[in-house]
Amino acid sequence: MIKTTHCKNFNHGRILVHIQYCPNCGERFNVKTDIKHCTDITHNEKRKLRDCFCCDCGTTLTPLKK
Ligand SMILES: [Zn+2]
Ligand SMILES: [Zn+2]
């Protein structure tokens, strides 16, 4: 069953997902990988990729101000 979602992230249509959370909408995927413990450094790297949510821990990433 593929859940319909407003989110356009390609991971929603996949059966095997290698990330914990959708970086676009923050929805949790059903994966059984270990939850990573992120640091500010890894979150800053994700902010540079314009992710809205951390795909490892689900934290909301506030955009960097220019
Ligand atoms: Zn999503
Ligand atoms: Zn994180």
Side-chain angles (χ1 to χ4, degrees):
M1 287 285 283
I2 295 171
K3 193 163 61 170
T4 51
T5 173
H6 62 281
C7 179
K8 288 176 181 159
N9 190 281
F10 62 91
N11 282 300
H12 287 290
R14 290 182 142 189
I15 296 166
L16 279 171
V17 186
H18 299 287
I19 55 175
Q20 285 281 343
Y21 295 88
C22 176
N24 192 38
C25 69
E27 186 180 314
R28 180 126 197 244
F29 295 120
N30 275 328
V31 285
K32 290 171 182 172
T33 53
D34 293 333
I35 291 174
K36 294 175 189 171
H37 296 283
C38 305
T39 62
D40 286 343
I41 295 161
T42 56
H43 283 167
N44 279 331
E45 289 297 316
K46 290 178 169 63
R47 285 187 184 98
K48 286 176 194 168
L49 300 171
R50 297 184 182 180
D51 287 348
C52 299
F53 296 88
C54 178
C55 59
D56 294 320
C57 70
T59 297
T60 305
L61 300 173
T62 50
L64 289 176
K65 286 170 186 172
K66 285 178 184 174

